Amino acid sequence: MPLPKMPTKPAALLSTKDYPTADKSKLSKTVKTVSAEKSKPVVAASSTPRKKTSAVPVTANIIVAEQSAPVAKVSTATAVAAAAKNKIQDSRVKSGTSRAADKSGVTKLFVLDTNVLMHDPSSLFRFEEHDIYLPMITLEELDDHKKGMSEVARNARQVSRSLDALVGDIDHHDIEKGILLSKLGNKDAKGHLYFQTKLQIGELPRGLPQGKADNQILGVVRALEQEFPGRPIVLVSKDINMRIKARAMGLPAEDYFNDHVLEDSDLLYSGIVQLPDDFWNKHGKGIETWQENRNGLSTTFYRITGPVIPSLLVNQFVYLEPKNGEASFYGQVRQINGKTAVLQTLRDYGHIKHSVWGITSRNREQNFALNLLMDPECDFVTLLGQAGTGKTLLALAAGLAQVLETKTYNEIIVTRVTVPVGEDIGFLPGTEEEKMSPWMGAFDDNLEVLNKSDNDAGDWGRAATQDLIRSKIKIKSLNFMRGRTFVNKFLIIDEAQNLTPKQVKTLVTRAGPGTKIICLGNIAQIDTPYLTEGSSGLTYVVDRFKGWAHSGHVTLARGERSRLADHASEIL
């Protein structure tokens, strides 16, 4: 049974009559401004002015923001709703000092906490025209964390190398004047870097330990405010308690948002778009159709021209389910040239004769996903969805079919992030594969479903089949992926929402000739403490790979695990 139509706009808390009538010119201006701010998340954690601050026109900021980061293509109604929502979010995450500086166009001076540098070692060059101030205690903490092989230690060493390159040829008398951040080739960084070169003691509330590093940074911010009363100074920290203490003392403090791909996860690319009911009336004129034989299958193509085409992306799925009893249309965008697109019809994997390793699709989104998974021209596939939507089962079934039946790939490689939900149970014995096996319970559960063979085969036949399947599946750890190259492999990355963008880049760049990579995850179930829905590596690759001719994405909407699991996902 087909799903009802997706809503055209987000649900509102207030009814229409409760909203005041707004001027259209003001509304369009607000939408443009907020969209520009969303395109430019740096403003949420921007930097500060030099001694002679030059006002930057607001219009110039908007133009730069629109050019630097593309905004997701959404409808007008969605854009208006997103603008209103983001305006509320902007007021929550930005300090009053930062918002006032944005309105006046002056640059800001940002005091960076150590955790910002260790979270993103390139954050020094992410503040555009604003200036950066590093307290001496920040450098001390960087020195304390540089030892070891952890990601935090590597980031601390990278920051130290960047600082060394910035100050290497600077005379010690000129450090107080500020160092240009663009001297290393980072053209977007137009501000200056300032170090704490003298003792600055700000008055702190009684009871705060003076020796604690966080309190020393707060004292530096207070001293800077007293020394430069006309300059907007903002503390940037990833530590929530640090920001709370700063605001309790009346100091402006903000989170670091430059690593966020999207401020609102509702705008994340879904890979699917519903066509309007009058699509064929507006796009049927001059339509061209032909058939081609691809991969042993006869496929129908349509060349269509119309106003909806520019909003589509390559490999995006489109569908039209008329209510008047006409046949439904399911297609995939193959080419786009201006207002002309080539649409390809899909194979119906819901029919038993097209089953993949005995698995058939149970809804529209699963059918879209199987079309991507079985397409040899699609090298990179991302599947998002809540628990029970069939992400792992579909990927594993497609992998077995293409490894054991069509011989497209010679092996399935499975990996995932080893982030525990609860307390760690300690070290695990055995080889790499034996250590990873407790983390692969989801694949074992799905293999039991896929291994259901004919009862006439007997116990020996079933055991032989399972041994053959097991021999074609290798379980690998992320810790040993650096430097590897996978050739003709079907690589499945499970729980990819717990990966950072840097880790995702490390994995995806392992692909050699003939390798297909599948990323599975649910951004609503992130277990890594320092990642959010907007900064997850899975969100990062979905946003960056959209529109590429050899990649595809589908957000699975409906759970098929059980009625209990579906109900629990909705109410819990």
Side-chain angles (χ1 to χ4, degrees), residues 102-116:
D102 291 339
K103 291 181 180 179
S104 61
V106 299
T107 56
K108 291 168 275 189
L109 178 65
F110 278 83
V111 182
L112 297 192
D113 194 2
T114 316
N115 48 44
V116 175

Side-chain angles (χ1 to χ4, degrees), residues 190-297:
K190 300 175 183 178
H192 287 72
L193 172 65
Y194 295 94
F195 290 96
Q196 182 183 0
T197 57
K198 59 184 178 181
L199 182 62
Q200 292 169 313
I201 301 177
E203 294 183 2
L204 294 177
R206 292 184 178 180
L208 283 181
Q210 298 292 331
K212 191 174 181 181
D214 289 355
N215 296 336
Q216 291 185 40
I217 295 176
L218 293 175
V220 169
V221 177
R222 174 62 59 82
L224 287 173
E225 282 192 338
Q226 296 172 355
E227 186 175 355
F228 306 103
R231 184 177 298 189
I233 298 170
V234 182
L235 171 66
V236 181
S237 175
K238 297 294 294 181
D239 188 350
I240 297 177
N241 291 333
M242 176 83 156
R243 298 198 301 269
I244 293 174
K245 285 199 295 185
R247 297 205 173 192
M249 294 171 56
L251 302 175
E254 297 174 4
D255 193 1
Y256 176 71
F257 283 103
N258 189 263
D259 59 334
H260 285 210
V261 181
L262 293 173
E263 294 296 328
D264 187 1
S265 60
D266 294 337
L267 297 179
L268 182 62
Y269 174 64
S270 66
I272 304 170
V273 63
Q274 182 180 8
L275 299 175
D277 294 336
D278 58 350
F279 176 77
W280 294 116
N281 296 332
K282 291 185 177 180
H283 299 74
K285 186 178 180 180
I287 186 174
E288 300 177 35
T289 179
W290 69 94
Q291 287 189 336
E292 292 183 10
N293 191 359
R294 289 192 176 185
N295 304 318
L297 300 173

Side-chain angles (χ1 to χ4, degrees), residues 38-39 79 156-157 263 316 334 380 399 403 422 472 502:
K38 282 179 65 60
S39 302
R157 290 193 293 270
E263 294 296 328
Q316 192 173 25
R334 282 304 187 184
F380 185 72
V403 169
K472 292 295 183 180
K502 189 175 180 180

Side-chain angles (χ1 to χ4, degrees), residues 5-53:
K5 286 186 177 182
M6 295 294 289
T8 57
K9 59 182 181 179
L13 295 177
L14 301 176
S15 61
T16 308
K17 63 181 181 179
D18 295 327
Y19 286 98
T21 304
D23 185 20
K24 291 184 178 180
S25 61
K26 293 183 179 180
L27 183 61
S28 61
K29 183 177 180 181
T30 304
V31 173
K32 182 178 180 182
T33 305
V34 176
S35 63
E37 291 177 354
K38 282 179 65 60
S39 302
K40 183 180 175 185
V42 177
V43 175
S46 312
S47 311
T48 18
R50 302 140 211 161
K51 291 188 177 180
K52 294 183 180 180
T53 60

